Coordinates of all heavy atoms in Angstrom, one line a residue:
L14 N -29.6 4.9 -10.0 CA -31.0 4.6 -10.3 C -31.9 5.1 -9.2 O -31.4 5.1 -7.9 CB -31.2 3.0 -10.3 CG -30.5 2.2 -11.4 CD1 -30.5 0.8 -11.2 CD2 -31.0 2.7 -12.8
A15 N -33.2 5.4 -9.5 CA -34.0 5.9 -8.3 C -34.5 4.6 -7.7 O -34.5 3.5 -8.1 CB -35.3 6.5 -9.1
A16 N -35.0 5.0 -6.5 CA -35.4 3.8 -5.6 C -36.5 3.0 -6.3 O -37.4 3.6 -7.1 CB -35.9 4.4 -4.3
G17 N -36.5 1.7 -6.2 CA -37.5 0.8 -7.0 C -37.0 -0.5 -7.2 O -35.8 -0.8 -6.9
M18 N -37.7 -1.2 -7.8 CA -37.2 -2.6 -8.3 C -37.0 -2.6 -9.7 O -37.8 -2.0 -10.6 CB -38.3 -3.8 -8.0 CG -38.5 -3.8 -6.5 SD -39.8 -5.0 -6.0 CE -39.1 -6.6 -6.6
Y19 N -36.0 -3.3 -10.3 CA -35.5 -3.4 -11.6 C -35.3 -4.8 -12.0 O -34.8 -5.5 -11.2 CB -34.3 -2.5 -11.8 CG -34.5 -1.1 -11.6 CD1 -34.3 -0.6 -10.3 CD2 -34.9 -0.2 -12.6 CE1 -34.4 0.8 -10.0 CE2 -35.0 1.1 -12.2 CZ -34.9 1.7 -11.0 OH -35.0 3.0 -10.7
S20 N -35.6 -5.0 -13.3 CA -35.3 -6.4 -13.8 C -34.8 -6.3 -15.2 O -35.3 -5.4 -15.9 CB -36.4 -7.4 -13.5 OG -37.5 -7.0 -14.3
D21 N -34.0 -7.2 -15.6 CA -33.5 -7.3 -17.1 C -32.9 -8.5 -17.4 O -32.8 -9.4 -16.5 CB -32.6 -5.9 -17.4 CG -32.7 -5.6 -18.8 OD1 -33.1 -6.3 -19.8 OD2 -32.4 -4.3 -19.1
L22 N -32.4 -8.6 -18.7 CA -31.5 -9.9 -19.0 C -30.0 -9.3 -19.2 O -29.8 -8.3 -19.7 CB -32.1 -10.4 -20.3 CG -33.5 -11.0 -20.3 CD1 -33.9 -11.3 -21.6 CD2 -33.6 -12.1 -19.3
V23 N -29.1 -10.2 -18.7 CA -27.8 -9.8 -19.0 C -27.1 -11.0 -19.7 O -27.4 -12.1 -19.5 CB -26.9 -9.8 -17.5 CG1 -25.6 -9.7 -17.7 CG2 -27.6 -8.7 -16.7
S24 N -26.4 -10.5 -20.7 CA -25.7 -11.6 -21.6 C -24.2 -11.6 -21.3 O -23.6 -10.6 -21.3 CB -26.0 -11.3 -23.2 OG -27.4 -11.2 -23.4
F25 N -23.7 -12.8 -21.3 CA -22.3 -13.0 -21.1 C -21.7 -13.7 -22.5 O -22.3 -14.7 -22.8 CB -22.0 -14.0 -20.0 CG -22.5 -13.4 -18.7 CD1 -23.8 -13.7 -18.1 CD2 -21.7 -12.6 -17.9 CE1 -24.4 -13.2 -17.0 CE2 -22.2 -12.1 -16.7 CZ -23.5 -12.4 -16.2
V26 N -20.6 -13.2 -22.8 CA -20.0 -13.8 -24.0 C -18.7 -14.6 -23.5 O -17.8 -14.1 -22.9 CB -19.6 -12.8 -25.1 CG1 -18.9 -13.4 -26.2 CG2 -20.9 -12.1 -25.6
N27 N -18.5 -15.9 -23.9 CA -17.4 -16.7 -23.6 C -16.4 -16.6 -24.6 O -16.6 -17.2 -25.7 CB -17.8 -18.1 -23.3 CG -16.7 -18.9 -22.8 OD1 -15.6 -18.7 -22.9 ND2 -17.0 -20.1 -22.2
A28 N -15.4 -15.8 -24.5 CA -14.5 -15.6 -25.6 C -13.6 -16.8 -25.8 O -13.0 -16.9 -26.9 CB -13.6 -14.3 -25.1
T29 N -13.5 -17.8 -24.9 CA -12.6 -18.8 -25.0 C -13.2 -20.0 -25.8 O -12.5 -20.8 -26.2 CB -12.1 -19.3 -23.7 OG1 -13.3 -19.8 -22.8 CG2 -11.3 -18.4 -22.9
T30 N -14.6 -20.0 -26.1 CA -15.1 -21.0 -26.8 C -15.8 -20.5 -28.0 O -16.8 -21.0 -28.5 CB -16.3 -21.7 -25.9 OG1 -17.4 -20.7 -25.5 CG2 -15.7 -22.3 -24.6
G31 N -15.3 -19.5 -28.5 CA -15.8 -19.0 -29.8 C -17.0 -18.0 -29.8 O -17.6 -17.8 -30.8
G32 N -17.2 -17.3 -28.6 CA -18.3 -16.4 -28.6 C -19.6 -16.9 -28.2 O -20.6 -16.3 -28.4
E33 N -19.6 -18.1 -27.5 CA -20.9 -18.7 -27.0 C -21.6 -17.6 -26.0 O -20.9 -17.1 -25.2 CB -20.6 -19.8 -26.2 CG -21.8 -20.6 -25.7 CD -21.3 -21.9 -25.1 OE1 -20.6 -22.6 -25.6 OE2 -22.0 -22.1 -23.9
V34 N -22.9 -17.4 -26.2 CA -23.6 -16.4 -25.4 C -24.6 -17.1 -24.5 O -25.2 -18.0 -24.8 CB -24.3 -15.4 -26.3 CG1 -25.1 -14.3 -25.4 CG2 -23.4 -14.7 -27.3
E35 N -24.4 -16.6 -23.2 CA -25.2 -17.2 -22.1 C -26.1 -15.9 -21.6 O -25.6 -14.9 -21.2 CB -24.4 -17.8 -21.1 CG -25.4 -18.3 -19.9 CD -25.9 -19.7 -20.2 OE1 -25.4 -20.4 -20.9 OE2 -27.0 -20.0 -19.6
T36 N -27.5 -16.0 -21.5 CA -28.2 -14.9 -21.2 C -28.9 -15.3 -19.8 O -29.5 -16.5 -19.8 CB -29.2 -14.6 -22.1 OG1 -28.5 -14.1 -23.4 CG2 -30.1 -13.3 -21.7
R37 N -29.0 -14.4 -18.9 CA -29.5 -14.7 -17.5 C -30.5 -13.7 -17.2 O -30.2 -12.4 -17.3 CB -28.6 -15.0 -16.4 CG -27.5 -16.0 -16.7 CD -28.1 -17.4 -16.4 NE -27.3 -18.4 -16.8 CZ -26.5 -19.2 -15.9 NH1 -26.5 -18.9 -14.8 NH2 -25.8 -20.2 -16.6
P38 N -31.6 -13.9 -16.5 CA -32.4 -12.8 -16.0 C -31.7 -12.3 -14.6 O -31.2 -13.0 -13.8 CB -33.8 -13.4 -15.6 CG -33.4 -14.9 -15.5 CD -32.3 -15.2 -16.3
I39 N -31.9 -10.9 -14.4 CA -31.5 -10.5 -13.0 C -32.6 -9.6 -12.5 O -33.4 -9.1 -13.3 CB -30.1 -9.7 -13.1 CG1 -30.3 -8.5 -14.1 CG2 -29.0 -10.5 -13.7 CD1 -29.3 -7.4 -13.9
A40 N -32.5 -9.4 -11.3 CA -33.4 -8.4 -10.5 C -32.7 -7.8 -9.5 O -32.0 -8.4 -8.6 CB -34.7 -9.2 -10.1
I41 N -32.8 -6.4 -9.3 CA -32.1 -5.7 -8.2 C -33.2 -4.8 -7.6 O -34.2 -4.3 -8.3 CB -30.9 -4.8 -8.6 CG1 -31.4 -3.9 -9.6 CG2 -30.0 -5.9 -9.1 CD1 -30.2 -2.9 -9.8
T42 N -33.1 -4.5 -6.3 CA -33.9 -3.5 -5.6 C -33.1 -2.4 -5.2 O -32.0 -2.5 -4.5 CB -34.6 -4.2 -4.4 OG1 -35.5 -5.1 -4.8 CG2 -35.5 -3.1 -3.7
V43 N -33.2 -1.2 -5.5 CA -32.5 0.0 -5.0 C -33.5 0.7 -3.9 O -34.6 1.0 -4.2 CB -32.3 1.0 -6.3 CG1 -31.6 2.3 -5.8 CG2 -31.6 0.3 -7.4
D44 N -32.8 0.9 -2.8 CA -33.4 1.4 -1.6 C -32.9 2.9 -1.5 O -31.8 3.2 -1.8 CB -33.0 0.8 -0.3 CG -33.7 -0.6 -0.2 OD1 -34.9 -0.7 -0.5 OD2 -33.0 -1.5 0.3
S45 N -33.8 3.7 -1.1 CA -33.4 5.1 -0.9 C -33.1 5.2 0.6 O -33.9 5.0 1.5 CB -34.5 6.1 -1.3 OG -34.3 7.3 -1.0
I46 N -31.8 5.7 0.9 CA -31.5 6.2 2.2 C -30.7 7.4 2.3 O -29.9 7.7 1.4 CB -30.7 5.0 2.8 CG1 -30.1 5.3 4.3 CG2 -29.4 4.6 1.9 CD1 -29.3 4.2 4.9
L47 N -31.0 8.3 3.3 CA -30.3 9.6 3.5 C -29.7 9.6 4.8 O -30.2 9.0 5.8 CB -31.3 10.7 3.3 CG -32.0 10.9 1.9 CD1 -33.2 12.0 2.0 CD2 -31.1 11.2 0.8
I48 N -28.5 10.1 4.8 CA -27.8 10.3 6.0 C -27.6 11.9 6.2 O -26.9 12.5 5.3 CB -26.5 9.5 6.2 CG1 -26.8 8.0 6.1 CG2 -25.6 9.9 7.4 CD1 -25.5 7.1 6.1
F49 N -27.9 12.3 7.4 CA -27.6 13.7 7.8 C -26.7 13.7 8.9 O -26.9 13.0 10.0 CB -29.0 14.4 8.1 CG -30.0 14.4 7.1 CD1 -30.9 13.4 6.9 CD2 -30.0 15.3 6.1 CE1 -31.8 13.4 6.0 CE2 -30.9 15.3 5.1 CZ -31.8 14.5 5.1
L50 N -25.6 14.6 8.9 CA -24.7 14.8 10.0 C -24.9 16.2 10.6 O -25.0 17.1 9.8 CB -23.3 14.6 9.5 CG -22.9 13.2 8.8 CD1 -21.6 13.2 8.3 CD2 -23.1 12.1 9.9
Q51 N -24.8 16.1 11.9 CA -24.8 17.5 12.7 C -24.0 17.4 13.8 O -24.1 16.4 14.6 CB -26.4 17.8 12.9 CG -26.5 19.0 13.6 CD -28.1 19.2 14.0 OE1 -28.8 18.5 13.4 NE2 -28.4 20.1 15.0
A52 N -23.3 18.5 14.1 CA -22.5 18.5 15.3 C -23.5 18.6 16.4 O -24.5 19.4 16.3 CB -21.6 19.8 15.3
T53 N -23.3 18.0 17.5 CA -24.1 18.0 18.7 C -23.5 18.7 19.9 O -22.3 18.3 20.3 CB -24.7 16.6 19.0 OG1 -25.6 16.7 20.1 CG2 -23.6 15.6 19.4
P54 N -24.1 19.6 20.6 CA -23.7 20.1 21.8 C -23.6 19.3 23.0 O -23.1 19.5 24.0 CB -24.5 21.3 22.1 CG -25.8 21.1 21.5 CD -25.5 20.1 20.2
L55 N -24.2 18.0 22.8 CA -24.3 17.1 24.0 C -23.1 16.6 24.4 O -22.7 16.5 25.6 CB -25.3 15.9 23.6 CG -26.8 16.3 23.3 CD1 -27.6 15.0 22.9 CD2 -27.4 17.0 24.5
V56 N -22.3 16.3 23.4 CA -20.8 15.8 23.7 C -19.9 16.4 22.8 O -20.0 16.4 21.5 CB -20.7 14.2 23.4 CG1 -19.4 13.7 23.6 CG2 -21.8 13.4 24.2
S57 N -18.9 17.2 23.4 CA -18.2 18.1 22.6 C -17.5 17.3 21.5 O -16.8 16.3 21.8 CB -17.0 18.8 23.5 OG -16.2 19.7 22.8
G58 N -17.5 17.8 20.2 CA -16.9 17.2 19.1 C -17.5 16.0 18.4 O -17.0 15.3 17.5
S59 N -18.7 15.5 19.1 CA -19.3 14.4 18.6 C -20.3 14.7 17.4 O -20.7 15.9 17.3 CB -20.1 13.6 19.7 OG -21.1 14.4 20.2
L60 N -20.7 13.8 16.7 CA -21.6 14.1 15.5 C -22.9 13.2 15.8 O -22.9 12.2 16.3 CB -21.1 13.6 14.2 CG -20.1 14.5 13.6 CD1 -19.4 13.7 12.5 CD2 -20.6 15.8 13.3
Q61 N -24.1 14.0 15.5 CA -25.3 13.2 15.4 C -25.6 12.8 14.2 O -25.4 13.7 13.1 CB -26.4 14.3 16.0 CG -27.8 13.7 15.9 CD -28.8 14.6 16.5 OE1 -28.9 14.9 17.7 NE2 -29.7 15.1 15.5
I62 N -25.9 11.6 13.9 CA -26.2 10.9 12.6 C -27.6 10.6 12.5 O -28.2 9.9 13.3 CB -25.4 9.7 12.4 CG1 -23.9 10.1 12.6 CG2 -25.5 9.1 11.0 CD1 -22.9 8.8 12.7
M63 N -28.3 11.2 11.6 CA -29.8 10.8 11.4 C -29.8 10.0 10.1 O -29.5 10.5 9.0 CB -30.7 12.0 11.3 CG -32.1 11.6 11.1 SD -33.4 12.9 11.1 CE -33.0 13.5 9.5
V64 N -30.5 8.8 10.1 CA -30.7 8.0 8.9 C -32.2 8.2 8.6 O -33.0 8.1 9.4 CB -30.4 6.6 9.2 CG1 -30.7 5.7 8.0 CG2 -28.9 6.4 9.4
Q65 N -32.4 8.5 7.3 CA -33.9 8.6 6.8 C -34.0 7.4 5.8 O -33.5 7.4 4.7 CB -34.1 9.9 6.2 CG -35.5 10.0 5.5 CD -36.6 10.0 6.5 OE1 -36.7 10.9 7.5 NE2 -37.5 9.0 6.4
G66 N -34.7 6.5 6.0 CA -35.2 5.2 5.2 C -36.6 5.0 5.1 O -37.5 5.8 5.3
Q67 N -36.8 3.7 5.0 CA -38.2 3.2 5.0 C -38.6 2.8 6.4 O -37.8 2.2 7.1 CB -38.3 2.0 4.0 CG -38.0 2.2 2.7 CD -38.9 3.3 2.1 OE1 -40.2 3.1 2.1 NE2 -38.4 4.3 1.4
P68 N -39.8 3.0 6.8 CA -40.3 2.7 8.2 C -40.0 1.3 8.4 O -40.2 0.3 7.6 CB -41.7 2.9 8.1 CG -42.0 3.9 7.1 CD -40.9 3.7 6.0
S69 N -39.6 0.8 9.8 CA -39.4 -0.4 10.3 C -38.4 -1.4 9.6 O -38.3 -2.4 9.9 CB -40.9 -1.2 10.3 OG -41.7 -0.4 10.9
Q70 N -37.7 -0.7 8.7 CA -36.4 -1.5 7.9 C -35.2 -1.3 8.9 O -35.0 -0.3 9.5 CB -36.3 -1.0 6.5 CG -37.4 -1.2 5.7 CD -37.6 -2.6 5.5 OE1 -36.9 -3.4 5.2 NE2 -39.1 -2.9 5.6
L71 N -34.4 -2.4 8.7 CA -33.1 -2.4 9.4 C -32.1 -1.6 8.7 O -31.9 -2.0 7.4 CB -32.7 -3.7 9.8 CG -33.2 -4.5 11.0 CD1 -32.6 -5.9 11.1 CD2 -33.0 -3.6 12.2
Y72 N -31.3 -0.7 9.2 CA -30.3 0.0 8.6 C -29.0 -0.1 9.3 O -29.1 -0.1 10.6 CB -30.7 1.5 8.3 CG -31.8 1.6 7.4 CD1 -33.1 1.7 7.8 CD2 -31.5 1.6 5.9 CE1 -34.0 1.8 6.7 CE2 -32.5 1.8 5.1 CZ -33.7 1.9 5.3 OH -34.8 2.0 4.5
A73 N -27.9 -0.1 8.6 CA -26.6 -0.1 9.2 C -25.8 1.2 9.0 O -25.8 1.5 7.9 CB -25.6 -1.4 8.7
I74 N -25.2 1.8 9.9 CA -24.3 2.9 9.7 C -22.8 2.3 9.9 O -22.5 1.6 10.9 CB -24.4 4.0 10.8 CG1 -26.0 4.5 10.7 CG2 -23.5 5.1 10.6 CD1 -26.2 5.4 11.8
E75 N -22.0 2.6 8.9 CA -20.6 2.1 8.8 C -19.7 3.3 8.8 O -20.1 4.4 8.3 CB -20.3 1.2 7.6 CG -21.2 -0.1 7.7 CD -21.0 -0.9 6.4 OE1 -20.6 -0.3 5.5 OE2 -21.3 -2.1 6.6
A76 N -18.5 3.4 9.3 CA -17.6 4.5 9.5 C -16.2 4.0 9.0 O -15.9 2.8 8.9 CB -17.4 4.9 10.9
S77 N -15.4 5.0 8.4 CA -14.1 4.7 7.8 C -13.2 5.9 8.1 O -13.7 6.9 8.0 CB -14.4 4.2 6.4 OG -12.9 4.1 5.8
T78 N -12.0 5.6 8.2 CA -11.1 6.9 8.2 C -10.4 6.9 6.8 O -9.6 7.9 6.7 CB -10.0 6.6 9.4 OG1 -9.3 5.3 9.2 CG2 -10.7 6.7 10.6
N79 N -10.5 6.0 5.9 CA -9.6 6.0 4.7 C -10.5 5.5 3.5 O -10.1 5.3 2.4 CB -8.6 4.9 4.8 CG -9.0 3.5 5.2 OD1 -10.0 3.2 5.0 ND2 -8.1 2.9 5.6
L80 N -11.9 5.5 3.6 CA -12.8 5.0 2.5 C -12.5 3.7 1.9 O -13.1 3.3 0.9 CB -12.7 6.2 1.5 CG -13.3 7.4 1.8 CD1 -13.1 8.5 0.6 CD2 -14.8 7.4 2.2
T81 N -11.7 2.9 2.5 CA -11.3 1.6 2.1 C -11.8 0.4 3.1 O -12.4 -0.5 2.7 CB -9.7 1.4 1.9 OG1 -9.3 2.4 0.9 CG2 -9.4 0.1 1.2
Q82 N -11.5 0.7 4.3 CA -11.8 -0.3 5.3 C -13.0 0.4 6.1 O -12.9 1.4 6.7 CB -10.8 -0.5 6.3 CG -9.6 -1.2 5.6 CD -8.3 -1.3 6.4 OE1 -7.9 -0.3 7.1 NE2 -7.7 -2.5 6.4
W83 N -14.2 -0.4 6.0 CA -15.4 0.1 6.8 C -15.7 -0.7 8.0 O -15.6 -1.9 8.0 CB -16.6 0.0 5.9 CG -16.4 1.1 4.7 CD1 -15.7 1.0 3.5 CD2 -16.9 2.4 4.8 NE1 -15.7 2.0 2.9 CE2 -16.4 3.1 3.6 CE3 -17.6 3.3 5.7 CZ2 -16.7 4.4 3.3 CZ3 -17.7 4.6 5.4 CH2 -17.4 5.1 4.1
S84 N -16.1 -0.1 9.2 CA -16.5 -0.8 10.3 C -17.9 -0.5 10.6 O -18.3 0.7 10.6 CB -15.6 -0.3 11.4 OG -14.2 -0.8 11.2
P85 N -18.7 -1.5 11.0 CA -20.1 -1.1 11.5 C -20.1 -0.4 12.8 O -19.2 -0.7 13.7 CB -20.7 -2.5 11.6 CG -19.7 -3.5 11.7 CD -18.5 -2.7 11.0
I86 N -20.9 0.6 13.0 CA -20.9 1.3 14.3 C -22.3 1.1 14.9 O -22.5 1.3 16.1 CB -20.5 2.7 14.2 CG1 -21.4 3.6 13.3 CG2 -19.0 2.9 13.9 CD1 -21.0 5.1 13.4
L87 N -23.4 0.9 14.0 CA -24.7 0.7 14.6 C -25.6 0.0 13.5 O -25.5 0.3 12.4 CB -25.3 2.0 14.9 CG -26.7 2.0 15.5 CD1 -26.8 1.5 16.9 CD2 -27.3 3.5 15.5
T88 N -26.3 -0.9 13.9 CA -27.5 -1.3 13.2 C -28.7 -1.1 14.1 O -28.8 -1.4 15.2 CB -27.4 -2.8 13.0 OG1 -26.2 -3.0 12.2 CG2 -28.5 -3.4 12.2
N89 N -29.8 -0.6 13.3 CA -31.0 -0.2 14.0 C -32.2 -0.2 13.1 O -32.0 0.0 11.9 CB -30.9 1.1 14.6 CG -31.8 1.5 15.8 OD1 -32.5 0.6 16.2 ND2 -31.7 2.7 16.3
A90 N -33.3 -0.3 13.7 CA -34.5 -0.3 12.8 C -35.1 1.1 12.7 O -35.2 1.8 13.7 CB -35.6 -1.2 13.4
A91 N -35.4 1.6 11.6 CA -36.1 3.0 11.5 C -37.4 2.9 12.2 O -38.1 1.9 12.2 CB -36.2 3.3 10.0
A92 N -37.8 4.1 12.7 CA -39.1 4.2 13.5 C -40.2 4.3 12.3 O -40.0 4.2 11.2 CB -39.1 5.4 14.3
A93 N -41.4 4.7 12.7 CA -42.7 4.6 11.8 C -42.5 5.7 10.9 O -43.0 5.7 9.7 CB -43.9 4.9 12.6
D94 N -41.5 6.8 11.1 CA -41.4 7.9 10.1 C -40.2 7.6 9.2 O -39.8 8.4 8.5 CB -41.3 9.2 10.9 CG -40.0 9.3 11.8 OD1 -39.4 8.2 11.8 OD2 -39.7 10.4 12.4
G95 N -39.6 6.4 9.4 CA -38.5 6.0 8.5 C -37.1 6.5 9.2 O -36.1 6.4 8.4
R96 N -37.1 7.1 10.3 CA -35.8 7.7 10.8 C -35.3 7.1 12.1 O -36.0 6.5 12.9 CB -36.0 9.2 11.2 CG -36.2 10.1 9.9 CD -36.2 11.5 10.3 NE -37.5 12.0 10.6 CZ -37.8 13.1 11.1 NH1 -36.9 14.0 11.4 NH2 -39.0 13.4 11.5
F97 N -34.1 7.1 12.3 CA -33.4 6.9 13.6 C -32.3 7.8 13.8 O -31.7 8.3 12.8 CB -33.2 5.5 13.9 CG -32.1 4.9 13.1 CD1 -30.6 5.0 13.6 CD2 -32.2 4.2 12.1 CE1 -29.8 4.4 13.0 CE2 -31.1 3.6 11.5 CZ -29.9 3.7 11.7
I98 N -31.8 8.0 15.0 CA -30.7 9.1 15.3 C -29.8 8.3 16.2 O -30.1 7.7 17.1 CB -31.3 10.3 16.0 CG1 -32.1 11.0 15.1 CG2 -30.1 11.2 16.3 CD1 -32.8 12.3 15.6
H99 N -28.4 8.6 15.9 CA -27.3 8.0 16.7 C -26.2 9.1 16.9 O -26.0 9.9 15.9 CB -26.7 6.9 15.8 CG -25.4 6.3 16.6 ND1 -25.5 5.6 17.7 CD2 -24.3 6.4 16.0 CE1 -24.3 5.3 18.1 NE2 -23.5 5.8 17.0
V100 N -25.8 9.2 18.1 CA -24.7 10.1 18.3 C -23.4 9.3 18.4 O -23.3 8.3 19.2 CB -24.9 10.8 19.7 CG1 -23.7 11.8 20.1 CG2 -26.2 11.7 19.6
D101 N -22.4 9.8 17.6 CA -21.1 9.0 17.5 C -20.1 9.8 18.4 O -19.4 10.8 17.9 CB -20.6 8.9 16.0 CG -19.3 8.2 15.9 OD1 -19.0 7.5 16.9 OD2 -18.8 8.2 14.8
P102 N -19.9 9.4 19.6 CA -18.9 10.2 20.4 C -17.4 10.0 19.9 O -16.5 10.7 20.2 CB -19.1 9.6 21.8 CG -19.7 8.2 21.5 CD -20.5 8.3 20.4
D103 N -17.1 8.8 19.1 CA -15.8 8.6 18.7 C -15.4 9.5 17.5 O -14.2 9.5 17.4 CB -15.8 7.2 18.1 CG -16.1 6.0 19.1 OD1 -15.8 6.3 20.4 OD2 -16.5 4.9 18.8
S104 N -16.3 10.2 17.0 CA -15.8 11.0 16.0 C -14.9 12.3 16.3 O -14.1 12.8 15.7 CB -17.0 11.8 15.4 OG -17.7 12.5 16.1
A105 N -15.0 12.7 17.6 CA -14.2 13.8 18.2 C -12.7 13.3 18.4 O -11.8 14.3 18.3 CB -14.7 14.2 19.5
A106 N -12.5 12.0 18.5 CA -11.0 11.6 18.6 C -10.3 11.4 17.5 O -9.1 11.1 17.3 CB -11.0 10.2 19.5
L107 N -10.9 11.5 16.2 CA -10.3 11.2 14.9 C -10.1 12.4 14.0 O -11.1 13.3 14.1 CB -11.2 10.2 14.2 CG -11.3 8.9 14.8 CD1 -12.5 8.0 14.2 CD2 -10.0 8.1 14.9
P108 N -9.0 12.6 13.3 CA -8.8 13.9 12.4 C -9.9 13.7 11.4 O -10.3 14.9 10.7 CB -7.5 13.6 11.9 CG -7.1 12.2 12.2 CD -8.0 11.6 13.4
Q109 N -10.4 12.7 10.9 CA -11.3 12.7 9.7 C -12.1 11.2 9.9 O -11.5 10.3 10.3 CB -10.8 12.8 8.4 CG -9.9 11.6 8.0 CD -9.3 11.8 6.6 OE1 -9.4 12.9 5.9 NE2 -8.7 11.0 6.0
R110 N -13.3 11.2 9.6 CA -14.2 10.1 9.6 C -15.2 10.1 8.5 O -15.9 11.2 8.5 CB -14.8 9.8 11.0 CG -15.3 8.4 11.2 CD -15.5 8.1 12.7 NE -15.7 6.6 12.8 CZ -16.1 6.1 14.0 NH1 -16.4 6.8 15.0 NH2 -16.0 4.9 14.0
F111 N -15.4 9.1 7.8 CA -16.4 9.0 6.8 C -17.6 8.1 7.2 O -17.3 7.1 7.9 CB -15.8 8.5 5.4 CG -14.7 9.4 4.9 CD1 -13.4 9.0 5.2 CD2 -14.8 10.6 4.3 CE1 -12.3 9.8 4.9 CE2 -13.8 11.3 3.8 CZ -12.5 11.0 4.2
Y112 N -18.8 8.4 6.8 CA -19.9 7.5 7.1 C -20.7 7.1 5.8 O -20.6 7.8 4.9 CB -20.9 8.2 8.0 CG -20.2 8.8 9.4 CD1 -19.7 10.0 9.4 CD2 -20.4 7.9 10.4 CE1 -19.0 10.4 10.7 CE2 -19.6 8.3 11.5 CZ -19.1 9.5 11.7 OH -18.5 9.9 12.9
R113 N -21.2 5.9 6.0 CA -22.2 5.5 4.9 C -23.3 4.7 5.5 O -23.1 4.1 6.6 CB -21.5 4.6 3.9 CG -21.1 3.3 4.3 CD -20.3 2.6 3.2 NE -19.8 1.3 3.5 CZ -19.1 0.4 2.9 NH1 -18.8 0.8 1.7 NH2 -18.7 -0.7 3.2
G114 N -24.4 4.6 5.0 CA -25.6 3.9 5.5 C -25.9 2.9 4.4 O -25.9 3.0 3.3
R115 N -26.5 1.7 4.9 CA -27.0 0.7 4.0 C -28.1 0.0 4.6 O -28.2 0.0 5.9 CB -25.8 -0.2 3.5 CG -25.3 -1.0 4.5 CD -24.3 -1.9 4.0 NE -23.7 -2.7 5.1 CZ -24.2 -3.9 5.8 NH1 -25.4 -4.3 5.3 NH2 -23.6 -4.4 6.7
R116 N -29.0 -0.6 3.9 CA -30.1 -1.4 4.4 C -29.5 -2.7 4.8 O -28.7 -3.4 4.2 CB -31.0 -1.7 3.3 CG -32.4 -2.4 3.9 CD -33.5 -2.2 3.0 NE -34.5 -3.0 3.4 CZ -35.6 -3.4 2.6 NH1 -35.6 -3.1 1.4 NH2 -36.5 -4.3 3.1
H117 N -29.8 -3.2 6.0 CA -29.3 -4.4 6.7 C -30.3 -5.6 6.4 O -31.5 -5.4 6.8 CB -29.1 -4.1 8.1 CG -28.3 -5.3 8.8 ND1 -27.0 -5.6 8.6 CD2 -28.8 -6.2 9.5 CE1 -26.7 -6.6 9.4 NE2 -27.8 -7.1 9.9
Y118 N -29.9 -6.5 5.8 CA -30.7 -7.7 5.5 C -30.5 -8.8 6.4 O -29.5 -9.1 7.0 CB -30.5 -8.1 4.1 CG -31.0 -7.2 3.0 CD1 -30.0 -6.3 2.5 CD2 -32.2 -7.1 2.6 CE1 -30.4 -5.4 1.5 CE2 -32.7 -6.2 1.6 CZ -31.7 -5.4 1.2 OH -32.2 -4.4 0.1

C-alpha cells in the first residue's frame, strides 16, 4: 500500500457455530520509510545508514544476521528534512547483516 491512512470492514466467519459472521471496522496507517546503505571511509568496513521518513518522527533501525531474529541498533528522531544518519561499526565484523527500519511509537 502507498503511504496513507486506510479503513475498511473485516468479516470473520465462525465455522464452529454454523457460519455466524462478525464484522468489525479496522483502520491502519502506512508510513513511508526509505533506508540507504553506503560504505563509509570513516571506519574501515563500516556502513553508513541513512533513514528517510517524516520530519520529527521517531524511527528505529534493526539489524539481523538471519532475517529471523532482529535486534534494535538505534532509535532516533528524524530531522526537519525527515532524515537521520547512523554509522554502524559492527557491520565490519559480520559476514552478513540485514537492516530494516520502522516507525517507533
Side-chain angles (χ1 to χ4, degrees):
L14 295 173
M18 296 179 67
Y19 299 87
S20 61
D21 209 336
L22 296 173
V23 176
S24 296
F25 299 91
V26 178
N27 187 339
T29 61
T30 61
E33 180 180 313
V34 177
E35 180 78 29
T36 301
R37 303 280 173 103
I39 63 161
I41 62 170
T42 301
V43 177
D44 289 320
S45 176
I46 179 174
L47 299 172
I48 294 181
F49 302 94
L50 300 176
Q51 177 180 339
T53 176
L55 300 176
V56 180
S57 179
S59 66
L60 284 176
Q61 177 177 291
I62 304 165
M63 183 180 77
V64 173
Q65 175 69 58
Q67 298 298 313
S69 304
Q70 295 296 314
L71 279 178
Y72 291 95
I74 298 174
E75 298 173 339
S77 173
T78 57
N79 59 17
L80 294 174
T81 302
Q82 297 171 316
W83 292 89
S84 300
I86 60 171
L87 178 72
T88 299
N89 201 3
D94 64 359
R96 291 190 272 174
F97 72 86
I98 294 173
H99 172 69
V100 175
D101 182 13
D103 295 337
S104 64
L107 300 167
Q109 66 181 11
R110 195 164 197 191
F111 304 95
Y112 298 91
R113 70 181 182 187
R115 64 177 179 81
R116 190 164 169 197
H117 186 76
Y118 293 95

